[in-house]
Amino acid sequence: MASRVTDQAVYDAALEVIAEQGYERATTRAIADAAGINEATLFRRFVSKENLLRQAVRGNFAGFSLDLDAPGDDVAADLLTIVGYYSSLYERRGGVVLTLMREAKFSPEVAAVLAEPESLLEKVDAVILHHQRRGALVVEPPRHTFFALIGPVMMRALARRVDRRATQAPADPEAVVRRFLDGHRSLER
Amino acid sequence: MASRVTDQAVYDAALEVIAEQGYERATTRAIADAAGINEATLFRRFVSKENLLRQAVRGNFAGFSLDLDAPGDDVAADLLTIVGYYSSLYERRGGVVLTLMREAKFSPEVAAVLAEPESLLEKVDAVILHHQRRGALVVEPPRHTFFALIGPVMMRALARRVDRRATQAPADPEAVVRRFLDGHRSLER
DNA sequence: CGCTGATGCAAGTGGACACTTGCATGAACG
DNA sequence: CGTTCATGCAAGTGTCCACTTGCATCAGCG
């Protein structure tokens, strides 16, 4: 009675197609084909394209959380946790998350799906604020620090998928943090 | 005999709508409305949506070139030229260029339009190689250096349009270059 | 004033695509 | 063996959108 093709297999196919073509251009037809099921079956089982994406994202990124509740005295360690997390997030499943982030600005559907794990960012803000108060980081809007920190990782991940001439290895979180802290230090008078 | 609404005014409207909604979601209807002309007129004058974009981009970004033909002895100065250029490029016209870059990966139309000014990147590669040979920059694929350098500028510009909690001022090219060079230095043993 | 040509307007064409539906098949389960 | 139910298949619906077309208008120009 269960489906021959498992839900997870459909999620895999969907994320793969979406990573390659983007959510809007990924037709339900193409996803169904990639999963080896009929398009009608896809809708019978997953209701809508948006719902399929939501379930696929939940299933594949939910258990994957950031362990940062107790920021410590070691900035470098905490930043490394953050960078490491985002780095592996961007590397997962062919970089779907980056693809979705790009589309989120113009597609309310995608934005809605992505809004769920958004709360992570608030954890990150808290950690950055903590270290700013300790004097270990320059005081500026935490999102600013976050973007400056994550920038190289994201750029590298994006570049890798866009520009054949860019380095093809993912960024090394330790090097990123070190570079960030060194550059950062020079900003304090 | 000339058109009441100038071509330039139509380009302005098109770029504005596209910056807000993205190329694919920006309907020709919406662009025509924004320009204050009829949709039929838009097609009679500009042939196709893609062609309109191409002319708009050419008209608005062509004369805007990178003056870098003779790299000098001063890395900081050359990097500043590069960062300054891209920074103002990303700030122009509500950030259309960034919007288009996002879409380029999945839309062959947009990619084709963007390919024209692409040759700039080769100039940049040359400058970076020059300074690598001089020993002023770590030797790595030039695109890698480029993305590490431009990353903060781009991230900041993107963040500004996506995240209300991010800083709302554009990145300061001088600070970016300084931070980059300081962090860079620490990578050399 | 009469011609030309660009425009507005309204209706339409064609294709892409999310989503539906009716029917036949075939596997699992009692 | 017969019922059930998810599936495949094929055709179809509705919508959106780039692009077209026919016609009336109206400004500029000789």
Side-chain angles (χ1 to χ4, degrees):
Chain A
M1 58 163 279
S3 26
R4 290 189 233 281
V5 173
T6 64
D7 285 5
Q8 185 56 49
V10 177
Y11 298 153
D12 289 347
L15 292 179
E16 187 176 341
V17 175
I18 290 171
E20 268 168 35
Q21 331 209 338
Y23 175 75
E24 309 226 276
R25 292 180 96 88
T27 67
T28 50
R29 181 72 206 282
I31 294 174
D33 285 355
I37 64 177
N38 191 272
E39 195 181 356
T41 301
L42 188 150
F43 280 100
R44 279 190 280 247
R45 285 172 58 180
F46 303 101
V47 180
S48 73
K49 189 184 176 185
E50 179 179 0
N51 189 60
L52 170 61
L53 174 65
R54 173 167 286 119
Q55 290 186 222
V57 167
R58 253 207 283 267
N60 282 286
F61 296 98
F64 193 58
S65 79
L66 226 193
D67 188 22
L68 253 188
D69 299 306
D73 285 348
D74 187 351
V75 214
D78 284 350
L79 295 189
L80 189 58
T81 305
I82 294 175
V83 172
Y85 170 77
Y86 280 94
S87 170
S88 65
L89 183 66
Y90 297 155
E91 295 302 327
R92 290 206 139 197
R93 304 260 154 195
V96 222
V97 172
L98 282 172
T99 297
L100 293 175
M101 287 174 65
R102 282 194 227 185
E103 285 187 87
K105 192 186 169 196
F106 302 122
S107 163
E109 270 177 67
V110 174
V113 171
L114 244 49
E116 302 195 11
E118 178 75 9
S119 61
L120 273 185
L121 271 180
E122 304 184 3
K123 265 195 199 177
V124 171
D125 282 353
V127 172
I128 291 173
L129 278 169
H130 168 82
H131 288 293
Q132 286 183 351
R133 287 203 201 90
R134 285 182 53 243
L137 288 177
V138 166
V139 175
E140 59 188 352
R143 287 294 159 90
H144 181 178
T145 301
F146 172 72
F147 285 119
L149 180 64
I150 293 302
V153 175
M154 190 181 271
M155 285 302 298
R156 185 89 162 246
L158 282 173
R160 216 141 49 85
R161 290 176 230 290
V162 170
D163 181 355
R164 246 165 296 118
R165 247 170 300 189
T167 322
Q168 288 298 316
D172 169 22
E174 301 209 15
V176 168
V177 171
R178 190 155 20 96
R179 196 187 270 219
F180 174 83
L181 284 176
D182 286 345
H184 206 73
R185 233 159 259 144
S186 78
L187 285 188
E188 324 177 65
R189 292 286 103 185
Chain B
M1 57 164 281
S3 27
R4 289 189 234 282
V5 173
T6 64
D7 286 3
Q8 185 56 47
V10 178
Y11 298 154
D12 289 348
L15 292 179
E16 186 175 343
V17 174
I18 290 171
E20 268 167 35
Q21 331 209 337
Y23 174 76
E24 310 226 276
R25 292 180 95 88
T27 67
T28 50
R29 181 71 205 283
I31 294 173
D33 285 356
I37 64 177
N38 191 271
E39 196 181 356
T41 301
L42 187 151
F43 280 100
R44 281 191 279 248
R45 284 172 57 179
F46 302 100
V47 180
S48 72
K49 188 184 176 185
E50 179 179 359
N51 188 60
L52 171 61
L53 174 64
R54 172 166 287 119
Q55 289 186 223
V57 168
R58 253 206 283 268
N60 283 285
F61 297 98
F64 192 56
S65 80
L66 224 192
D67 187 21
L68 252 188
D69 298 306
D73 285 348
D74 186 352
V75 214
D78 284 349
L79 295 188
L80 188 59
T81 304
I82 294 174
V83 172
Y85 170 78
Y86 280 94
S87 170
S88 65
L89 183 66
Y90 298 155
E91 295 303 327
R92 289 206 138 198
R93 304 260 153 195
V96 220
V97 173
L98 282 172
T99 297
L100 293 175
M101 287 175 65
R102 281 194 227 186
E103 284 187 88
K105 192 188 169 195
F106 302 121
S107 164
E109 270 177 67
V110 174
V113 171
L114 243 49
E116 301 195 10
E118 179 76 8
S119 63
L120 272 185
L121 269 180
E122 305 185 4
K123 264 195 199 175
V124 171
D125 282 351
V127 172
I128 291 172
L129 278 168
H130 168 81
H131 288 293
Q132 287 182 351
R133 289 205 199 89
R134 286 181 53 244
L137 287 177
V138 167
V139 174
E140 60 186 353
R143 286 293 158 90
H144 181 177
T145 302
F146 172 71
F147 284 119
L149 180 64
I150 293 304
V153 175
M154 189 181 272
M155 285 302 299
R156 184 89 162 246
L158 282 173
R160 217 142 48 85
R161 288 176 232 289
V162 169
D163 180 357
R164 244 164 298 118
R165 246 169 301 185
T167 321
Q168 288 299 318
D172 168 21
E174 301 210 15
V176 168
V177 171
R178 190 157 19 96
R179 195 186 271 219
F180 173 83
L181 284 175
D182 287 345
H184 206 74
R185 233 159 259 144
S186 78
L187 286 187
E188 324 178 65
R189 288 289 99 185

